[in-house]
Amino acid sequence: MGTPLGGGGTDNTMNQPATTRPLTIGVLALQGAYEAHAQALTTLGATARLVRLPADLAGLDGLIMPGGESTTMLKFLERLDFFDTLQDFVSATPTFGTCAGAILLARNVEHPAQKSLGVLDITVERNAYGRQIDSTILTAPTSLPGGPLEMVFIRAPRITRTGSHVEILATRDGFPVLVREGHLLAATFHPELSADTRIHQLFIDIIRQQSSPSL
Ligand code: GLN
């Protein structure tokens, strides 16, 4: 018996728990580096769906908010009347923000101050590394299994405060660069630009774990 592609049907795969069935993960595609995220998800066996409108969020198991320019993304979100729907979605569904996406998830944004979705209990300082050394590739230790991790920073923000429930998974010069709080994951670098898929795999693991908290 074939696998139904969607709609109707009591054996629709969407009705199976996210612990085992193939996942459909959205990538916010208003602006920025979304294609490489979609590619990384596909490599890991998930289905990637580009999200351009509020309706595109329906039925997703998780969402990646890519790097780019957070101010521009905010303008699109407001113009499309998308901000409130996205805020509700990320409050309840696994979401991974990278760079500008991490800025959008943060509770507080500084330098300059900017509106955000406010769901992840961190403070970020935008463009914190100065003009000359603002884009760099480092290999640094991480608490993830598999040894040191390559990190591509592009006009990166710096996480200057983490709430007590935020777990720090990697640092640069003593500042967190990869953090997790429950169903939310954020990186100030661009994991989609490295060949190492451990961070995207971690996000997939978080989605499966969240749908079955007893695991
Ligand atoms: N500097 C950008 C911002 O403030 C983020 C850069 C990035 O996403 N690579 O939104």
Side-chain angles (χ1 to χ4, degrees):
M1 206 173 108
T3 307
L5 290 174
T10 49
D11 59 349
N12 188 331
T13 53
M14 292 304 276
N15 295 334
Q16 295 170 17
T19 42
T20 50
R21 66 171 162 76
L23 299 177
T24 302
I25 301 175
V27 184
L28 191 65
L30 301 176
Q31 186 265 342
Y34 50 86
E35 283 293 353
H37 278 294
Q39 189 58 55
L41 291 172
T42 308
T43 303
L44 293 172
T47 299
R49 182 198 297 165
L50 298 185
V51 171
R52 295 201 160 94
L53 296 168
D56 297 333
L57 293 173
L60 289 179
D61 295 303
L63 179 70
I64 294 182
M65 304 206 310
E69 194 55 49
S70 56
T71 312
T72 309
M73 288 184 200
L74 269 176
K75 280 188 189 139
F76 277 117
L77 288 174
E78 280 172 359
R79 193 182 303 163
L80 296 163
D81 216 3
F82 196 169
F83 187 90
D84 292 346
T85 315
L86 184 61
Q87 195 167 40
D88 289 346
F89 182 91
V90 303
S91 302
T93 315
T95 300
F96 176 24
T98 61
C99 209
I103 295 171
L104 290 180
L105 286 179
R107 178 136 320 150
N108 310 101
V109 180
E110 297 174 341
H111 191 244
Q114 180 171 276
K115 183 176 171 175
S116 60
L117 298 165
V119 287
L120 175 61
D121 192 12
I122 60 173
T123 300
V124 295
E125 184 188 334
R126 296 177 61 206
N127 304 314
Y129 292 94
R131 290 223 165 249
Q132 293 308 313
I133 52 159
D134 58 359
S135 300
T136 185
I137 301 177
L138 300 177
T139 298
T142 160
S143 60
L144 297 183
L149 184 71
E150 179 185 90
M151 301 171 188
V152 179
F153 291 92
I154 304 171
R155 301 192 68 224
R158 179 184 276 150
I159 298 174
T160 55
R161 181 194 64 85
T162 51
S164 55
H165 297 290
V166 176
E167 202 183 334
I168 298 170
L169 303 174
T171 57
R172 169 186 178 183
D173 301 332
F175 288 93
V177 292
L178 178 66
V179 296
R180 175 184 178 180
E181 185 180 14
H183 68 290
L184 300 172
L185 182 68
T188 59
F189 56 96
H190 283 254
E192 79 285 5
L193 297 181
S194 296
D196 191 328
T197 52
R198 273 182 289 164
I199 310 269
H200 288 86
Q201 185 59 55
L202 170 67
F203 183 51
I204 287 173
D205 293 345
I206 288 173
I207 295 175
R208 297 210 187 271
Q209 213 179 58
Q210 292 289 313
S211 76
S212 177
S214 57
L215 273 185

